Structures are given as structure tokens and as C-alpha cells.
Amino acid sequence: MKTLQLNKGWILRDINRGIEVPAIVPGTVYTDLLREGQMEDPFFKDNEDKALALMEGDFSYHCTFPCDPALLREEHIVLRFEGLDTLTDVTLNGVSVGKTDNMHRVYEFDVKDVIGASNELTVTFHSPLRYIREAYEKAPTRGSEDAMPGFVHIRKAHCMFGWDWGAHLPDAGIFRPAFLCAWSQGRLETVAVRQEHGKDLVTLSVTPVLYGDDGVCRKEMIRPGKPAGPARTDLEAEIILTTPDGEEQYFSGNAGEATEIAVNAPKLWWPNGYGAQPLYTLKVLLKDRDSGQVLDEWERRIGLRTLTVSQEKDEWGNEFAVTVNGVKIFAMGADYIPEDHLLGRVSRETTKALLKKALFAHFNVIRVWGGGYYPDDWFFDLCDEYGLLVWQDFMFACGMYDLTPAFEENIRAEFYDNIIRLRHHASLALMCGNNEMELFTATRLWVTKDAEVRDYLIMYEYILPKLMEELAPQVFYWPASPSSGGSFDNPADPDRGDVHYWDVWHGNKPFTEYRKFYFRFVSEFGFQSFPSERTVETFTDDERDKNIFSYIFERHQRNGQANGKIMGYLQQTFRYPDSFSDLIYASQLLQAEAIRYGVEHFRRYRGRCMGSVIWQLNDCWPVSSWSSVDYCGRLKALHYYARRFFAPLMVSCEEESELSTETPLNVLPREIKQSVRFCVANETMGEETVTLFWEVRNAAGEILREEQENVTAPALSSVWTKKTELSQLDRFNEYVSYRICRGDEIVSAGTVLFTMPKYFRFEDPGLSVTVDGRKLTVRAQKYARSVEILNETEDLWLSDNYFDLNAGEKTVEILQGEPVNLRVRSVYNI
């Protein structure tokens, strides 16, 4: 197949304003206008309003291009758009060749009778705001009130219309590559690959699937390993399998038929932390049988592994355990939202930088949330390389949908495009029907008519599972998140399936509330914090804006009264901060401590709970949110805490303390139990024997009592120590430090208070920091809790940060950033 990428000479026209600017394709309207100085930064102050108003108008992309005579001689010629956002009319040489209404689809338009030696292509984008407004007036189908009314009527990233962390910025444009494709004798539509695993053997079934003879992609439902219509006897498929070591193996078969390939001594792919990620390259060449001419080719990287989700019955209900190569893993990671409101800014480099930070925190899973868009190929390629399992939602979230014939046809094509695009990836753990819609449909939160309930079941429990069985039978399908398995059967059941737990935060419950639950898999739970001060300065220019209740600051907080909620939790935990900077620091410690309480608890009960996925990893603009990495890429305290509580070998302390006492401060009688019980969680593939040390210390960090014991933790387990009562401990002046060691190496460590930090009588630790090349050494004269190291630009990425010091020193490495104008602080400073 001959191709011509259409990525040069584009002009963007703002039709309403009569403005023309050079355009970059792939790209978007906002990124082009911003780059050319035709709009203000939509993230600064409240410029979002001006940017939103631009989308009341229409825009067009225009280019001219020559066409090679050899390409023109081909029998079939199509325009291929891999991503148009969203409502478009496409004309070539003044002739209408197609329309689009779904950013999640691939579109191809037959242009054989229109194309010439010189060509003019125009793609006109119509206002999404007018569209949803008119659609909502005709059919007031409802959804999340955080998004603009009518968002459910358009197959466009829902969060572009606002969310409880997102702005109202419904960008548009040719956000993925555009091509001219031409062929005559044959073209590959896709290749289906199936794996069967035996003892020291993997058998691959490789089925090249051809386009129809009429040159039109029929998007047929192809079962891997089965013929895709009659085989073409005039065509053959040459299959080249390249091992991770670079050895090439050649096979031949018939186009349209399955070819079986035996891989002896296969190198298995494992998630991060469980083994290596060897990738095989599979290349399929479609050839003319007589001449040997290569007509088309398909090339992907695959990992050899089995992957499913076990739902075996057990003493608590039904487990929900991601199982790779027969090993049940504890899923550790976070939910991923679109990386930027301006999709033209997202690239392989930006995604790689973000996923590297996920690896830093020992993630083994990423959940792609269903209110954005299906990520680009490079996202999955990187996850394959890094061993990050992907929970992929289909793009439906927090809204009801009318399953009209046109809507069904549209989403079926969307499902097809994305299932066949993603199904070969080693990292693809499961595909999930939607975000939170089983739960909200069951409670009828946004239901306006009974037909919406019926349509829910048809979409997620009939259409999608059938398509998954046909197109990707080896990819696990789950109907919704949360769900116990579908059919509105108690979708929030703590003993089956996955849950979203929000009583801590939305329900204002204390951090210790997590310890009352033993969920099978937590796919969402979170706590907000403010972004770094230097990130705040990207959307403010006035010191008066640096107030969490100022107009601008609240414009960059989309979860209702969340700033006040943070202050409510702060009142329960810390003293009132003296400065804006200290308030940001305190908010990030609150977030980190809240999630630590949850994750450590869930890991202690490995086997019953098998997944802890935090809401959320990233932001799409500078905002106060649940993220652990803010929009500018700065790591919040939570991300460093995650590196510790997601560590493969981790010790935690389940304490009884004033925080776990439910009796209010001034209510008598008020009994406060004080005890410690330690747990070693071993999420490695081998048994670990470590020494547990723990001490009772005073506020100066001096040891008052010390204990130690050896702990053996089998592979993939959690092991408890005995409970120790500490009734005589002075909770206002004494604390417990603990660590596990492998020889002289400290593997995991922490400290625990027995009262709230605001009541503990911290002494001035006299913190100092010195620089030696790319290493920093922090020294404390007394106990210092949650030591933060910042530079002038607050963009340091360190091997550790926000750690505790028991009067002593700690050296950390600088992974990114420069140690200019360093400053340190601890909870003592709040």
C-alpha cells in the first residue's frame, strides 16, 4: 500500500473572526491559535472563559498537496483520518467526501474519483457548544453536573466540557495523523493474534485480515484464529517473528487464514516488579503470490503472557485478582486522565516523562479513566516497555446515553477501531465498559426515562461483551467500574468486583475509616491537595490571588467547596499554617497521609484485597485536585509517599492512637488505646527474611525503648507481628520509629504518632542541607517529620522527599532539577 502523510502546509482559519494562521497537523485549534498569538493562555487566571467563547464558532483546516502519478494509478484511494475532534465536513477539490462526529474513531473516505495531480483539502470543524446545546434541547439526557449540559450527546472527551478537576475547554482539530492511502491488489485491515501457552511453549495463531474486495473497510467481527471470509489464493502472508534477542524467524501462510507459529523456550512478559518485559516483534507482509511483490505490511510488538482477572470464590466472597502467567498480583497504581486540555501539547515525550514518574513510585498498573479519550499508540507502547498493566475504560463516564440506531452504529465503529488497535498490547490487562454508570443507573441518579436503563444493559452487557468475544477473546472484559459483575447486582459490593471508595474525602470521614473495609479491589479513592506554589504562579499574577478563597484560586478548583474541605481536614490534623507556602505544604501532607492510611491497610490484607489504584496520577491543567503529579510535572508529597507505600517490600504500622479514637476531645469518659502491630508486605517473587527494628523515642529523637525481631515473608504475601501495648507512652512527647533491614540496608521505614500532629510537642529539629554534586544530605538535630526539600523553582525530583528523620542525617540523589537556593522544612514549621 502506498501512503502519503498529510502533515505539511496546513492553514487554520477562524471563520468567525476571519483569522488565518499556520497550523501544525497533528495538532489542535487552541494550540495553533496560542502558538501564533491569536488567543491568550487559557490556563491563566480566568482566560478559560475567553477560550470557551471561541468554540461558539467554526474553524477550518486547509492544505494543498500534489499526488504522485503512481499513486493515482492505484485502484483504491482513500483519505484516512486517525483522529478528528469532532464535528467535521471534509471536502477535497471542492467535493464533499465525508462527515465525522466521533473523535474516538478512525475515518476513511473514498476519494478515487476526486483526487488529482494537485489537490485542495479542507476540513471544517463545527462548534461543539452549539451542537450539545441544540441536542440537549431536543433530548435532555443527563449526566454529571460538573460538565456542560448535553455533553453525553457528542462522542468527544467528556472532560473537555468540564469535570470536578477539569476546565471548560472543548478544543478541536486534526489531533492525530492524516494520510492518503492507495492500493490495488490487496490491503491488510488488521492482524489478529492469539496465544496458547503450554509447558515451555507458546503457540501463536496469526490471522491477516484483508479489506473487502470493494476497497471498503467493513469492520467485520473477526474471531482470531478463524478465517476472515474466503482466503485469497493469489495472495500470501509472510510472517517474521523477531525475538527480544534479535533473532528472526520466517513463516508463510495464506492471506485471510490463520498461521500457527511455535515459540519454544518463550521469554515471558511480566508486570513491573515481577520480572522482565521482553517484547517480540511480529511483522506480516502481504505479498502477491506470483511476483513476490510486497503489497502491504503490519508490524507490532507483542509480549508472551497469559492475562486475566480471577474471580474465584473464597471465604469472603469472590476475589478480583489480576493474574499474569498464573500469578495473582497486587495491583498498585493510579488513575490516568488526559495529560492536557490542549491535546496538541501531548506527545510521546510528555507521556514518557509522566510514566517514568509512575515507575518511580513502583506502579504496576494504570487505569485509563472513561471520561477522556483512548490514549495514543505510544502510551501503550511505553506501558509494554515499562511493565505497566493498563485498565482501559471505554469512553463513557457519569452520563446516560440514548441508544438510537445512529448512536449504536457510531459506537460500534468506535469499539471496533479501538479494540483492534489495542488488543495486541502486552500491557492491556482489561477493557471496562464505563466509569460509574452501573452504580448511577442503579440509583437512577441521572435517569430521565426507563429506556435509558434498558439502553445501559444493551450497550455494556450485550453489545460490548459480544464484540470483545469476537474481536479480542483473550482480553478480559468488565462491564463497569465499580461493579460486582453487572446486572445492577450491588455494584458497590465490598466482597466482589471493584469499588470506588469516597467516604474519606466526599463523605468527610477520617483517614482511619479505611481500616474498616477490606475491599477486593479499590479502583478509585483519593484526597485533594493544592499544587506547588510555583505551579500556582502559572495562573496568578497578584499576591491577592494566592489565597485559597480568592476568585482566581477557586476558578482553579472544580470540586465545589473542596478548598474548605481541605481546611476542615487540616483543622483535624495540623496547626493553622502561617503562610500560603506552609498551607500548600500542609495540604500535600494531608493528601499523602490520607492515601497512605488506605494503601498500607489494603496491602496488609493481601489475598483479600488485590488492588489499590489511587485517584489520580496527573492533571490536565494547573488546578487543585487529587493528583500526585501536578500539571507542571512537579511531584507532590503523595508521589513520594507512594514510592514508599508501593515499594515491593514494605513495612507498615497499624497503631491504635488518639486518631483512631472516635470519642471527641472534650467528651468523657475518653479511653485512648495505644498499641503497635507491624506488617511486612512482600510483593516480590521470592521469600524475604528481614529484621524489624522499632523504637520508642522522645521528641528529641532519643531512644527510650528498642525492640527487634526477624520476620520471614513468603513471596506475594503479607505477614503480621504480634500486637504490643504501649499504654504508658506519652503521646504528646513520644513516638515510635520502625524499619526493616536486609543486613545493613534499610529497606523500608517510617514513624508513627499517637496523637494528631497538631498536639505533638515537636522540638525545633534545626534542619540543614548540604550539596555534594548530585547528592543532598539533610541533617536534623531532633525528630523531624515529613521533611520537604525544595529548590528555587520547586522542580527537584529526588530519590526521596517528605521523609522522617529521627535526629540524624539522610542523603538523597537529585534525579532532575538543580539545587539552587535550597530550603527545608518539616511539620514543626506548621
Side-chain angles (χ1 to χ4, degrees):
M1 182 175 68
K2 296 181 175 65
T3 61
L4 173 65
Q5 185 170 358
L6 304 174
N7 60 355
K8 298 177 181 177
W10 287 92
I11 298 294
L12 169 66
R13 184 165 186 259
D14 181 335
I15 295 173
N16 278 22
R17 295 192 294 170
I19 294 170
E20 290 189 352
V21 298
I24 293 176
V25 171
T28 67
V29 168
Y30 281 156
T31 48
D32 286 333
L33 292 178
L34 186 60
R35 184 187 61 254
E36 298 299 325
Q38 295 300 322
M39 67 177 290
E40 297 179 64
D41 178 0
F43 298 164
F44 184 66
K45 295 180 86 73
D46 57 355
N47 282 350
E48 169 196 358
D49 296 341
K50 300 174 184 177
L52 178 64
L54 291 175
M55 284 300 153
E56 291 287 356
D58 296 343
F59 297 84
S60 67
Y61 282 81
H62 177 83
C63 77
T64 61
F65 62 92
C67 198
D68 186 90
L71 189 147
L72 291 173
R73 287 194 294 269
E74 297 290 349
E75 183 179 350
H76 304 290
I77 305 175
V78 298
L79 268 174
R80 177 181 174 89
F81 294 98
E82 297 189 348
L84 293 175
D85 179 16
T86 293
L87 305 167
T88 76
D89 285 300
V90 182
T91 62
L92 181 64
N93 298 328
V95 177
S96 174
V97 296
K99 298 176 180 290
T100 74
D101 59 0
N102 189 332
M103 77 174 291
H104 308 305
R105 287 178 55 182
V106 174
Y107 286 92
E108 292 192 351
F109 304 115
D110 185 354
V111 295
K112 172 64 177 178
D113 296 334
V114 183
I115 197 84
S118 299
N119 302 277
E120 293 187 12
L121 175 62
T122 301
V123 183
T124 301
F125 289 83
H126 301 291
S127 168
L129 299 180
R130 292 201 311 269
Y131 181 88
I132 64 169
R133 191 161 51 240
E134 293 168 4
Y136 188 73
E137 289 175 359
K138 295 175 183 176
T141 309
R142 297 179 57 214
S144 170
E145 289 78 11
D146 291 309
M148 301 173 74
F151 75 92
V152 296
H153 287 290
I154 186 171
R155 295 307 297 149
K156 178 178 174 69
H158 290 345
C159 61
M160 289 184 172
F161 297 100
W163 216 259
D164 58 2
W165 38 259
H168 303 99
L169 292 170
D171 202 355
I174 308 173
F175 74 101
R176 283 182 175 150
F179 297 92
L180 200 64
C181 303
W183 72 100
S184 293
Q185 201 170 345
R187 177 187 175 189
L188 289 169
E189 180 175 332
T190 184
V191 175
V193 182
R194 186 168 186 145
Q195 302 182 20
E196 295 298 335
H197 287 243
K199 185 176 181 180
D200 215 26
L201 172 71
V202 173
T203 302
L204 298 177
S205 178
V206 181
T207 306
V209 180
L210 301 177
Y211 268 57
D213 292 334
D214 57 1
V216 176
C217 170
R218 292 191 296 249
K219 300 194 174 178
E220 298 168 297
M221 293 183 291
I222 307 301
R223 184 187 298 277
K226 298 285 186 177
R232 290 277 297 275
T233 58
D234 60 323
L235 304 178
E236 66 175 342
E238 180 179 328
I239 302 169
I240 306 167
L241 181 68
T242 305
T243 69
D245 297 329
E247 178 187 347
E248 292 185 342
Q249 303 173 33
Y250 291 81
F251 308 87
S252 62
N254 295 321
E257 292 183 347
T259 298
E260 290 196 348
I261 298 173
V263 183
N264 294 299
K267 296 185 176 181
L268 298 184
W269 184 95
W270 290 94
N272 179 39
Y274 298 83
Q277 294 80 43
L279 295 171
Y280 291 71
T281 299
L282 185 64
K283 189 173 186 177
V284 177
L285 301 177
L286 181 66
K287 290 184 172 183
D288 177 270
R289 190 177 296 277
D290 294 331
S291 68
Q293 179 186 359
V294 175
L295 305 174
D296 200 1
E297 67 178 65
W298 179 96
E299 183 175 328
R300 303 289 189 275
R301 293 185 303 172
I302 63 171
L304 305 183
R305 87 290 186 268
T306 62
L307 208 167
T308 189
V309 176
S310 173
Q311 298 181 78
E312 292 180 10
K313 286 186 176 296
D314 58 22
E315 60 186 296
W316 303 289
N318 293 81
E319 69 178 2
F320 194 87
V322 177
T323 305
V324 183
N325 301 325
V327 175
K328 295 174 182 177
I329 75 163
F330 190 99
M332 302 184 290
D335 296 277
Y336 166 92
I337 64 170
E339 294 174 39
D340 204 305
H341 265 304
L342 279 60
L343 299 190
R345 289 175 167 173
V346 181
S347 66
R348 180 184 176 88
E349 289 68 34
T350 63
T351 301
K352 183 175 183 178
L354 180 62
L355 294 183
K356 283 280 192 180
K357 288 167 182 166
L359 284 183
F360 170 79
H362 300 295
F363 285 19
N364 58 39
V365 68
I366 296 282
R367 174 176 172 245
V368 179
W369 171 75
Y373 66 103
Y374 304 92
D376 291 275
D377 292 337
W378 64 68
F379 173 90
F380 295 92
D381 290 340
L382 290 165
C383 288
D384 291 344
E385 294 175 16
Y386 296 159
L388 292 169
L389 294 168
V390 178
W391 171 315
Q392 175 66 59
D393 282 359
F394 286 94
M395 290 299 120
F396 300 91
C398 302
M400 305 307 301
Y401 304 90
D402 290 319
L403 191 63
T404 63
F407 188 76
E408 179 176 349
E409 180 181 4
N410 197 355
I411 61 172
R412 279 182 177 272
E414 170 189 326
F415 299 157
Y416 178 92
D417 287 342
N418 288 286
I419 293 170
I420 67 167
R421 179 169 71 92
L422 304 180
R423 63 186 176 185
H424 70 278
H425 282 283
S427 57
L428 184 62
L430 65 92
M431 299 190 81
C432 176
N434 65 80
N435 174 76
E436 297 185 338
M437 283 319 302
E438 183 182 359
L439 178 67
F440 290 139
T441 303
T443 60
R444 302 181 79 91
L445 176 63
W446 295 305
V447 173
T448 58
K449 54 184 181 291
D450 291 340
E452 292 170 350
V453 179
R454 174 205 64 198
D455 291 349
Y456 173 92
L457 292 170
I458 293 172
M459 288 170 63
Y460 308 115
E461 300 191 18
Y462 179 74
I463 293 174
L464 263 173
K466 283 199 68 173
L467 278 172
M468 289 293 295
E469 176 60 26
E470 292 293 331
L471 298 170
Q474 293 187 314
V475 178
F476 183 83
Y477 174 73
W478 191 239
S481 182
S483 179
S484 64
S487 302
F488 308 125
D489 179 15
N490 189 12
D493 192 332
D495 298 320
R496 296 176 295 158
D498 72 308
V499 300
H500 295 186
Y501 180 73
W502 284 104
D503 280 358
V504 177
W505 182 257
H506 288 308
N508 297 310
K509 297 288 187 179
F511 304 162
T512 51
E513 195 75 6
Y514 289 119
R515 296 181 180 176
K516 297 179 180 179
F517 300 95
Y518 306 88
F519 304 117
R520 311 318 304 265
F521 192 109
V522 193
S523 47
E524 272 193 29
F525 69 109
F527 196 96
Q528 273 206 11
S529 69
F530 303 129
S532 300
E533 187 170 7
R534 293 293 179 263
T535 298
V536 171
E537 289 169 355
T538 67
F539 63 83
T540 61
D541 65 353
D542 188 323
E543 285 299 313
R544 290 174 298 179
D545 292 338
K546 287 186 177 181
N547 183 306
I548 64 168
F549 300 124
S550 72
Y551 171 73
I552 294 301
F553 208 92
E554 292 196 336
R555 285 300 304 268
H556 289 253
Q557 165 61 270
R558 295 307 167 95
N559 181 222
Q561 305 302 312
N563 290 353
K565 188 184 292 286
I566 291 172
M567 294 303 292
Y569 275 102
L570 187 146
Q571 175 270 329
Q572 299 169 37
T573 310
F574 296 116
R575 295 189 178 194
Y576 194 82
D578 291 331
S579 68
F580 182 71
S581 176
D582 286 344
L583 177 56
I584 289 175
Y585 171 57
S587 81
Q588 293 194 10
L589 293 187
L590 280 172
Q591 178 189 38
E593 287 290 336
I595 302 306
R596 180 185 66 82
Y597 261 87
V599 173
E600 289 184 350
H601 169 71
F602 299 137
R603 288 194 66 184
R604 291 173 195 140
Y605 291 90
R606 190 198 198 280
R608 187 171 183 179
C609 179
M610 288 301 289
S612 180
V613 180
I614 301 165
W615 186 270
Q616 66 205 65
L617 172 60
N618 60 300
D619 287 325
C620 58
W621 73 312
V623 65
S624 301
S625 80
W626 298 268
S627 70
S628 65
V629 179
D630 74 22
Y631 174 73
C632 295
R634 296 183 170 99
L635 275 58
K636 296 181 180 178
L638 171 57
H639 208 73
Y640 287 102
Y641 272 52
R643 179 170 168 82
R644 296 194 286 271
F645 60 59
F646 281 153
L649 190 60
M650 183 267 292
V651 63
S652 64
C653 178
E654 183 183 73
E655 83 290 350
E656 290 180 295
S657 68
E658 188 169 14
L659 188 60
S660 56
T661 298
E662 296 187 354
T663 307
L665 177 63
N666 293 312
V667 174
L668 297 178
R670 187 171 187 251
E671 179 186 8
I672 297 176
K673 296 180 180 180
Q674 295 182 167
S675 69
V676 291
R677 187 166 65 132
F678 299 97
C679 182
V680 176
N682 179 13
E683 200 56 30
T684 75
M685 299 285 273
E687 180 179 278
E688 291 279 357
T689 297
V690 296
T691 303
L692 167 67
F693 298 89
W694 65 273
E695 301 87 19
V696 175
R697 298 174 182 257
N698 61 24
E702 298 166 338
I703 297 175
L704 307 178
R705 172 184 175 181
E706 53 188 327
E707 305 285 348
Q708 72 176 72
E709 65 177 284
N710 291 331
V711 179
T712 297
L716 310 174
S717 72
S718 59
V719 176
W720 288 92
T721 66
K722 291 182 179 180
K723 180 177 177 180
T724 301
E725 301 289 346
L726 295 173
S727 58
Q728 301 305 309
L729 181 144
D730 177 356
R731 68 182 184 275
F732 300 114
N733 294 286
E734 296 170 4
Y735 70 99
V736 166
S737 62
Y738 56 90
R739 64 195 181 280
I740 55 173
C741 296
R742 191 191 292 116
D744 293 332
E745 176 195 6
I746 298 176
V747 178
S748 176
T751 68
V752 61
L753 301 179
F754 294 84
T755 186
M756 283 65 84
K758 65 180 180 179
Y759 296 151
F760 189 80
R761 299 188 181 108
F762 289 101
E763 298 181 17
D764 185 352
L767 290 172
S768 62
V769 58
T770 57
V771 182
D772 182 8
R774 300 297 288 176
K775 292 184 178 181
L776 305 178
T777 298
V778 179
R779 294 176 177 84
Q781 299 170 18
K782 299 180 180 180
Y783 173 45
R785 186 173 176 86
S786 302
V787 175
E788 177 193 61
I789 310 169
L790 294 178
N791 65 350
E792 180 67 27
T793 50
E794 299 185 356
D795 59 357
L796 280 180
W797 179 2
L798 304 174
S799 59
D800 199 7
N801 207 347
Y802 302 94
F803 49 80
D804 300 343
L805 274 177
N806 299 302
E809 66 180 45
K810 180 177 176 117
T811 298
V812 298
E813 295 182 19
I814 301 172
L815 305 180
Q816 184 176 293
E818 298 301 324
V820 177
N821 292 335
L822 295 177
R823 58 190 190 275
V824 290
R825 61 183 159 189
S826 69
V827 174
Y828 170 80
N829 297 105
I830 302 178

